[in-house]
Amino acid sequence: MNSLFNADIGMMFLDEPTYGLDDENMGYFEEALLRLATEVRGKRQLVVITHAEMLRPAFDQVIEI
């Protein structure tokens, strides 16, 4: 995951990245996503499709369908 997030990618899409994760690993992913969002804000775009409400704080915009 680190090498993917460190790559020089202008836009990244993650479709249900938390599928199958237990609570502990969900927490690790949330922490990693919050760090990534802070690092790439204003430089790159990250689009995440998820049902995980706990990830909302990592995003500048949320579109609910």
Side-chain angles (χ1 to χ4, degrees):
M1 185 178 249
N2 281 339
S3 63
L4 179 63
F5 286 168
N6 285 329
D8 189 20
I9 298 172
M11 181 180 281
M12 183 185 306
F13 288 83
L14 301 176
D15 185 12
E16 291 293 349
T18 59
Y19 177 78
L21 295 181
D22 60 16
D23 289 341
E24 183 178 8
N25 285 306
M26 239 337 225
Y28 293 141
F29 183 78
E30 178 186 19
E31 184 179 319
L33 190 59
L34 285 166
R35 275 195 237 154
L36 174 67
T38 300
E39 289 176 23
V40 303
R41 189 165 277 120
K43 301 175 203 165
R44 299 179 188 165
Q45 291 184 348
L46 175 64
V47 177
V48 179
I49 301 161
T50 186
H51 292 95
E53 293 285 327
M54 69 186 293
L55 299 179
R56 280 181 173 252
F59 304 109
D60 293 331
Q61 294 180 325
V62 175
I63 299 171
E64 199 168 320
I65 298 176

